[in-house]
Amino acid sequence: MTRLLPAPDALVGRRLDLALSKMLGLSRAKASDLVAQGHARIMGRRVNKATTLMSGDVIELDEPESTKQVEPVAEDMPVVYEDEDVVVVDKPVGVAAHPSIGWTGPTVLGSLLQRGTHITSMGAQGRQGIVSRLDAGTSGLMLVCKSDLAYKEMRRQFARHEVVKIYHALVQGNLTEDKATIEAPIGRARVSDFRFTVTPAGKEAITHWDVLERFGSATLVSVNLETGRTHQIRVHFSSIGHPLVGDHMYGANPDLADRLGLKRQWLHAMRLEFRHPRTKIWTKVVSSYPADLRRSLQIERQGATGIRS
């Protein structure tokens, strides 16, 4: 099967391999291989991986049927709230929000559909019903819309920052304040295809936080997101010198993560509050820490007690 991908305006003037990596979510090396093997072409032009993408170009991308695999199901993903309009799941770590090229693990959307859950057809192909998402390495509450009415209304609520999104995060070091707000715009980092950074050219991003517990080497905080930018919590805390424990992409100390037995960033979507799209009743859903995060806190508490004694 062949897909046709018009060249995005934002990538005009970039190398073909770099443009493909950004468009498909692949590494630069894998994108280069697609071009070298003839699986990615520009209609009407001879190309190599260094060919510059031009306005009006259409990329032909081969997707052999033989390479497609059945998506695994997240069997252990609890549904914590469901009615005719919305479903809220407690997403485990290692589950993506929706399918994407290069991702072979389970997804929230795919797992719900394979369980027989009806999802609205509204939204981009492969992202139907999704109005906000969590990183694969972040666990916790995520809402998916089942009805068209819910999709329209919840998309509006998220866009207008009317939904309350509370996360708990364990950040490195001892925060000097008990509560504060980080207000700094976030955009893509030039040094990486997948990282984000604080930049004047970015989109508005506001993060409120309160200290819950201090351990000396790390601080447990409750985070209230006023906006919902990609990697917002991770980028904002890294920008003030306190990256999330276990978040190696944004500068976390791997030794601390190893001591706590963490294989991912310590971040959990703890509470979700929204006005129900049909009944207009204010609705609150709460989660609890998964096993790996609970264990790491126990280790930190034991270490902090040992220091005090």
Side-chain angles (χ1 to χ4, degrees), residues 7 12 54-58:
V12 169
M54 299 172 62
S55 179
D57 278 344
V58 176

PDB file of all heavy atoms in Angstrom, residues 7 12 54-58:
ATOM      1  N   ALA A   7       3.939  17.746   1.291  1.00  0.00           N
ATOM      2  CA  ALA A   7       4.996  18.352   2.102  1.00  0.00           C
ATOM      3  C   ALA A   7       4.415  19.438   3.006  1.00  0.00           C
ATOM      4  O   ALA A   7       3.819  20.398   2.517  1.00  0.00           O
ATOM      5  CB  ALA A   7       6.064  18.956   1.196  1.00  0.00           C
ATOM      6  N   VAL A  12       9.247  22.597   4.488  1.00  0.00           N
ATOM      7  CA  VAL A  12       9.790  22.987   3.188  1.00  0.00           C
ATOM      8  C   VAL A  12      11.181  23.581   3.384  1.00  0.00           C
ATOM      9  O   VAL A  12      11.403  24.401   4.279  1.00  0.00           O
ATOM     10  CB  VAL A  12       8.857  24.003   2.484  1.00  0.00           C
ATOM     11  CG1 VAL A  12       9.540  24.619   1.265  1.00  0.00           C
ATOM     12  CG2 VAL A  12       7.563  23.319   2.064  1.00  0.00           C
ATOM     13  N   MET A  54      10.553  20.655  -1.319  1.00  0.00           N
ATOM     14  CA  MET A  54      10.088  21.898  -1.931  1.00  0.00           C
ATOM     15  C   MET A  54       8.575  22.038  -1.764  1.00  0.00           C
ATOM     16  O   MET A  54       7.853  21.051  -1.586  1.00  0.00           O
ATOM     17  CB  MET A  54      10.450  21.914  -3.428  1.00  0.00           C
ATOM     18  CG  MET A  54      11.940  21.832  -3.702  1.00  0.00           C
ATOM     19  SD  MET A  54      12.324  21.625  -5.466  1.00  0.00           S
ATOM     20  CE  MET A  54      11.634  23.144  -6.121  1.00  0.00           C
ATOM     21  N   SER A  55       8.116  23.278  -1.809  1.00  0.00           N
ATOM     22  CA  SER A  55       6.687  23.550  -1.713  1.00  0.00           C
ATOM     23  C   SER A  55       5.956  22.840  -2.841  1.00  0.00           C
ATOM     24  O   SER A  55       6.366  22.900  -3.998  1.00  0.00           O
ATOM     25  CB  SER A  55       6.426  25.062  -1.784  1.00  0.00           C
ATOM     26  OG  SER A  55       5.047  25.328  -1.719  1.00  0.00           O
ATOM     27  N   GLY A  56       4.887  22.133  -2.531  1.00  0.00           N
ATOM     28  CA  GLY A  56       4.115  21.411  -3.525  1.00  0.00           C
ATOM     29  C   GLY A  56       4.550  19.971  -3.712  1.00  0.00           C
ATOM     30  O   GLY A  56       3.866  19.208  -4.408  1.00  0.00           O
ATOM     31  N   ASP A  57       5.664  19.568  -3.098  1.00  0.00           N
ATOM     32  CA  ASP A  57       6.106  18.183  -3.206  1.00  0.00           C
ATOM     33  C   ASP A  57       5.103  17.242  -2.542  1.00  0.00           C
ATOM     34  O   ASP A  57       4.481  17.585  -1.523  1.00  0.00           O
ATOM     35  CB  ASP A  57       7.470  17.987  -2.531  1.00  0.00           C
ATOM     36  CG  ASP A  57       8.634  18.389  -3.427  1.00  0.00           C
ATOM     37  OD1 ASP A  57       8.419  18.529  -4.638  1.00  0.00           O
ATOM     38  OD2 ASP A  57       9.745  18.569  -2.893  1.00  0.00           O
ATOM     39  N   VAL A  58       4.951  16.054  -3.109  1.00  0.00           N
ATOM     40  CA  VAL A  58       4.133  15.010  -2.512  1.00  0.00           C
ATOM     41  C   VAL A  58       5.011  13.778  -2.340  1.00  0.00           C
ATOM     42  O   VAL A  58       5.593  13.272  -3.306  1.00  0.00           O
ATOM     43  CB  VAL A  58       2.913  14.669  -3.393  1.00  0.00           C
ATOM     44  CG1 VAL A  58       2.137  13.500  -2.784  1.00  0.00           C
ATOM     45  CG2 VAL A  58       2.009  15.879  -3.546  1.00  0.00           C
TER      46      VAL A  58
END
